Amino acid sequence: MTSLDLTGDVVDLTRAICDIPSVSGDEKALADAVESALRALPHLAVLRDGDAVVARTSLGRPARVVYAGHLDTVPIADNLPTVLDGDILRGRGTVDMKAGVAVMLKLALLEAPRHDLTFVFYDHEEVAAKLNGLGRLVRNHPEWLAGDFAILGEPSDGTVEGGCQGTMRVKITVPGVAAHSARSWKGSNAIHSAGAVLDVLRAYVPRQPVVDGLRYHEGLNAVKIEGGIAGNVIPDLCTVYVNHRFAPDRDVAAAEAHLREVFAGFEVEVVDAAPGARPGLDKPAAKEFVELVGREPQAKLGWTDVSRFAGLGIPAVNYGPGDPLQAHTDGEHVPVPEIRRTLEVLQGWLALA
Ligand SMILES: [Zn+2]
């Protein structure tokens, strides 16, 4: 097993954990390395569930901060091992989100932080929501995640991103009547009828509501369309898959009601959905942290695991090094100064004055 040196430089540590490949489903080697590095620190109690590793201080501080990051990456695209190119670290996982994980591991060295800390390293973030390691911890051991404020170390360009938008996918089924295309008037073309669904989407004006002081931006988009069986058959079925991204002033039920209203008269089936999370920046621990970072907080538009903490009643924000737009790209990279700055901000906050 590769052993990780937590006492060295944070950039070397980032490289070391990127260079242990951990595509979703294959996190064991990295989880083992993280677990053994943490078990060597006597001030932490270390727990494990599958390939998720949780480490906690118990100093009896009045507040507990939960700091979470995923260990997995999307598939490697000929972009490992990492390459250090001046001030830019390139390679799979650098920005999403092993630089953030390296920062977490460095903070785990703090023996007497001013808040009690719970570090959560988890598996299966980049795949179907039902496999998500943080979701599994919520189901199996919610007490491991107890806390007053949570930070998710996903890349946020060094600013605090509050809350996140929810997401819902629906399947809209448009029926027709099959016929030979030589006698098309005997049937009814489902693909043509689906044009009415596309008209709704093209005319749709998404909301941009302000929630707890942050502006969100919704979206409603077709993401897949299926129909037709042969070159001489009038199709009797066309299916349009639509993805709705909704601001956190609406819950899943409200988002579904909205879609049923928008697509009234069509057969609408919800495929999957995940709620958003309000930013919660009015909570004292969140306020203290935002002031310390010193940059204007932004609304998080993509869905993140922040909403799993919101579901536990724990206000949560995203804060991590690097540009989220780099995530999942073949040229994925993170600026080295941002890794160092994130670590300095968090060390400054958590170190005892
Ligand atoms: Zn990520």
Side-chain angles (χ1 to χ4, degrees):
M1 180 175 63
T2 317
S3 69
L4 298 173
D5 175 13
L6 305 191
T7 62
D9 181 72
V10 67
V11 177
D12 295 339
L13 182 58
T14 304
R15 294 191 73 174
I17 58 181
C18 287
D19 292 340
I20 302 174
S22 58
V23 176
S24 310
D26 196 17
E27 299 93 335
K28 186 175 182 302
L30 180 56
D32 288 350
V34 165
E35 181 185 0
S36 90
L38 294 171
R39 284 202 189 276
L41 303 174
H43 63 284
L44 295 175
V46 179
L47 303 156
R48 179 144 174 177
D49 177 290
D51 285 330
V53 180
V54 173
R56 297 189 294 184
T57 62
S58 15
L59 299 161
R61 302 278 194 255
R64 175 174 292 277
V65 175
V66 183
Y67 193 178
H70 62 84
L71 296 175
D72 60 319
T73 69
V74 295
I76 296 158
D78 202 17
N79 51 5
L80 278 185
T82 50
V83 175
L84 188 59
D85 181 0
D87 253 357
I88 302 289
L89 180 62
R90 300 182 189 280
R92 176 61 75 228
T94 49
V95 78
D96 186 14
M97 56 162 282
K98 290 180 173 178
V101 168
V103 168
M104 291 169 67
L105 288 168
K106 291 296 290 179
L107 294 170
L109 292 173
L110 292 173
E111 285 176 28
R114 60 182 287 240
H115 299 300
D116 265 310
L117 297 175
T118 300
F119 297 96
V120 182
F121 303 88
Y122 62 99
D123 53 287
H124 286 97
E125 192 274 343
E126 300 288 7
V127 285
K130 65 178 193 295
L131 296 174
N132 185 290
L134 189 60
R136 190 181 67 244
L137 290 174
V138 168
R139 288 191 301 276
N140 293 355
H141 311 284
E143 71 284 2
W144 292 6
L145 303 174
D148 302 283
F149 176 53
I151 300 173
L152 204 66
E154 292 272 9
S156 67
D157 250 343
T159 93
V160 174
E161 291 179 330
C164 74
Q165 295 202 129
T167 178
M168 172 171 287
R169 284 188 302 156
V170 297
K171 178 180 166 184
I172 302 173
T173 306
V174 182
V177 177
H180 195 297
S181 61
R183 294 174 294 277
S184 58
W185 55 91
K186 298 282 189 189
S188 166
N189 192 314
I191 293 180
H192 294 188
S193 299
V197 174
L198 304 184
D199 286 343
V200 168
L201 291 168
R202 282 191 295 205
Y204 187 79
V205 180
R207 297 189 311 147
Q208 295 187 43
V210 174
V211 184
D212 297 349
L214 300 182
R215 181 177 297 280
Y216 290 84
H217 194 154
E218 298 191 327
L220 185 68
N221 288 280
V223 289
K224 187 178 171 186
I225 189 161
E226 283 172 346
I229 55 163
N232 57 356
V233 177
I234 298 304
D236 64 350
L237 190 68
C238 183
T239 310
V240 185
Y241 292 85
V242 171
N243 183 212
H244 180 37
R245 299 291 173 140
F246 54 95
D249 59 338
R250 282 187 176 159
D251 60 14
V252 166
E256 180 180 345
H258 175 64
L259 292 191
R260 290 196 183 281
E261 192 185 314
V262 167
F263 295 109
F266 294 101
E267 189 188 324
V268 176
E269 183 191 327
V270 176
V271 177
D272 61 13
R278 295 184 76 101
L281 297 181
D282 46 336
K283 305 279 184 355
K287 244 186 197 161
E288 174 194 273
F289 181 67
V290 167
E291 277 164 21
L292 186 106
V293 170
R295 291 198 202 166
E296 188 67 22
Q298 303 291 322
K300 180 71 181 178
L301 300 180
W303 193 89
T304 80
D305 281 333
V306 156
S307 94
R308 296 184 198 276
F309 286 106
L312 292 171
I314 304 171
V317 300
N318 294 280
Y319 178 70
D323 178 356
L325 297 179
Q326 284 297 324
H328 306 188
T329 64
D330 291 356
E332 176 173 357
H333 62 264
V334 65
V336 163
E338 288 203 33
I339 307 177
R340 297 195 194 287
R341 180 175 182 277
T342 304
L343 179 59
E344 276 163 25
V345 165
L346 290 163
Q347 276 174 337
W349 178 42
L350 294 169
L352 260 184

